[in-house]
Amino acid sequence: MTAALNYDDLKDAISRAYPTLPKQLQLIARFALDKPNELALGTVAAVADAAGVQPSALIRFANALEFGGFSEMQGVFREHLVERSVSYRERIDQLRRHGKANNGGSGVLHQFVGEAVSELGQLEENVAEADITSAAKLICAARHVHVLAQRRAFPVASYLAYALSQLELKTYLIDGLGGMLANSLNNIEPEDVLIVASFHSYSQEVIDAANAAHARGIPVIAITDSALSPLKPSARVCFELSLGAEKAFRSLVAPLCLAQAVVVSTGHQLTEQSARGAAKTTGKPATKTKRPTNGKGGR
């Protein structure tokens, strides 16, 4: 293995190496993927303190990824940071961290709004439009859609089950009520699709369900928080939202926003399929209604 030359390759290298790394190096791996900007800008001492490890562990981590030292690895993170313009999310985040004052009860709301804006900025950076399209195509092609999540992620599954059913797709929320989780999972067929959501600390039942579905050839779509998530190996499409696991109260703003994007993209796919089907039936190409361009007959 040679050292990664760009950020995307480095993310993949960290994900592959993670299971074999010692515990301290695993802490650094999670920190690097969850907070790449802090790693890009921090000194060895500052990064080590933030990750909860000894400074020497950062050198060992860089060596494990075939870099000559920490500075060489940090350069890849810095190049990734330079490629991005200063976003609105970053400006809000700086204001929140450096100018945050506890204005009575409004201080709590201000803090959570700032964190939500930050999460949405990271969501746009970390999720590719191509992955949303791929997930929508899998959902449209499935005979049945099954959705599973537990604990904190359950609202995401509940919303997906509701919204996809509104698109007239045969969608089933697997809630395990009455100890029927195993039975519900056994009813999933290879022509179906399973959507799972789980965040750190991950639900073992959701992990097992995703692994079992993957082993049976059932497409799995995963919504999770990190490239190190145990759901990733089983997923045909995996959304890694880079949500920090250290917060006492972790938001669902980004996962729910992503879920809405997947539902809307699925709706577009269904509309396009209907248009193509109509064109085949009539023998005419699908056409789009044109708006007036001469200022007459339209607003």
Side-chain angles (χ1 to χ4, degrees):
M1 182 179 74
T2 58
L5 300 178
N6 60 64
Y7 178 69
D8 289 335
D9 289 344
L10 181 52
K11 278 179 62 179
D12 291 340
I14 293 172
S15 298
R16 290 193 302 270
Y18 181 81
T20 63
L21 295 175
K23 186 175 180 180
Q24 270 213 335
L25 302 194
Q26 286 185 340
L27 290 175
I28 300 171
R30 184 169 291 279
F31 180 85
L33 295 178
D34 288 347
K35 299 181 178 180
N37 294 350
E38 291 190 28
L39 191 145
L41 299 175
T43 63
V44 171
V47 173
D49 182 63
V53 300
Q54 295 296 320
S56 59
L58 291 172
I59 311 301
R60 297 199 304 273
F61 178 74
N63 294 158
L65 296 172
E66 301 298 329
F67 289 100
F70 174 76
S71 296
E72 184 181 341
M73 180 189 70
Q74 188 181 44
V76 178
F77 285 92
R78 285 181 174 172
E79 287 177 8
H80 171 67
L81 184 60
V82 169
E83 288 171 359
R84 298 168 43 240
S85 61
V86 177
S87 67
Y88 181 69
R89 175 188 68 80
E90 290 171 321
R91 295 197 295 270
I92 291 293
D93 190 49
Q94 289 171 3
L95 288 174
R96 180 179 62 80
R97 286 188 286 110
H98 298 296
K100 182 171 59 177
N102 189 6
N103 300 319
S106 63
V108 176
L109 178 61
H110 176 74
Q111 177 184 350
F112 280 106
V113 169
E115 290 175 353
V117 171
S118 176
E119 282 189 15
L120 291 175
Q122 288 182 331
L123 174 68
E124 195 169 20
E125 293 171 12
N126 292 321
V127 174
E129 190 67 33
D131 287 338
I132 295 178
T133 300
S134 296
K137 287 181 178 179
L138 285 174
I139 292 169
C140 291
R143 187 183 63 173
H144 300 129
V145 181
H146 304 266
V147 191
L148 171 64
Q150 294 182 345
R151 301 199 296 265
R152 187 170 71 92
F154 184 76
V156 180
S158 181
Y159 168 77
L160 283 168
Y162 163 76
L164 292 174
S165 68
Q166 295 301 300
L167 296 179
E168 299 183 355
L169 296 173
K170 293 182 178 179
T171 308
Y172 303 95
L173 176 63
I174 303 176
D175 55 17
L177 188 63
M180 297 295 289
L181 179 61
N183 299 70
S184 299
L185 294 172
N186 287 335
N187 289 331
I188 305 176
E189 300 292 339
E191 297 81 12
D192 300 344
V193 66
L194 174 64
I195 306 176
V196 294
S198 190
F199 313 116
H200 187 84
S201 299
Y202 308 98
S203 168
Q204 189 60 49
E205 289 179 317
V206 175
I207 297 169
D208 293 342
N211 290 339
H214 175 67
R216 294 170 56 198
I218 299 166
V220 176
I221 299 170
I223 299 175
T224 189
D225 56 359
S226 169
L228 303 177
S229 169
L231 292 177
K232 185 175 181 178
S234 301
R236 189 83 58 91
V237 178
C238 186
F239 296 105
E240 305 154 15
L241 306 188
S242 294
L243 303 175
E246 73 284 352
K247 298 175 184 176
F249 298 96
R250 289 168 285 171
S251 169
L252 287 175
V253 169
L256 285 171
C257 185
L258 171 64
Q260 287 181 310
V262 170
V263 170
V264 173
S265 183
T266 301
H268 288 317
Q269 291 284 341
L270 291 172
T271 301
E272 291 176 7
Q273 288 180 6
S274 297
R276 288 194 295 268
K280 288 181 180 180
T281 301
T282 61
K284 298 179 181 179
T287 58
K288 295 182 179 179
T289 302
K290 295 183 179 179
R291 293 184 177 181
T293 58
N294 59 1
K296 299 179 181 179
R299 295 183 180 180

